[in-house]
Amino acid sequence: ELADKLVRQVHDLRDKRVARRKHPAEATVWVKGRTLRAREASRDMKASIDELADKLVRQVHDLRDKRVARRKHPAEATEITES
């Protein structure tokens, strides 16, 4: 289920690894030029995985928004990062 959510959001997904322990859940996702990591822990393992997936999807959205902003306004994106 986690991999399905990620594949829908990331088209250039190269590798994925999800480590599941007793209560914490950790994931590392390698996308083109970036490594996204998330960790979540709770009393319920399913809840940990759901929260972890939400964190990764949020990171993917943020990354995509940054890339789109750089394409649309390259000069403004450079000014913002320099500040």
Side-chain angles (χ1 to χ4, degrees):
E1 181 179 3
L2 170 61
D4 293 336
K5 283 185 179 182
L6 289 173
V7 169
R8 279 187 261 145
Q9 297 297 325
V10 181
H11 299 292
D12 56 354
L13 183 65
R14 292 186 295 156
D15 192 6
K16 64 182 182 298
R17 184 183 329 164
V18 178
R20 297 179 186 153
R21 297 187 184 154
K22 189 172 183 180
H23 294 288
E26 299 177 356
T28 303
V29 178
W30 292 273
V31 294
K32 190 175 179 180
R34 293 291 300 254
T35 302
L36 305 176
R37 290 190 176 98
R39 171 185 274 181
E40 183 63 37
S42 68
R43 293 182 182 174
D44 182 24
M45 189 64 196
K46 290 181 182 180
S48 295
I49 293 170
D50 287 340
E51 289 296 320
L52 174 80
D54 292 340
K55 284 183 177 183
L56 286 171
V57 168
R58 193 172 319 122
Q59 289 180 21
V60 168
H61 281 285
D62 291 344
L63 179 63
R64 185 184 323 134
D65 291 345
K66 286 180 184 178
R67 287 181 179 171
V68 168
R70 283 189 202 134
R71 273 195 312 241
K72 288 184 178 179
H73 308 287
E76 292 176 15
T78 307
E79 292 172 5
I80 292 170
T81 56
E82 290 176 356
S83 300

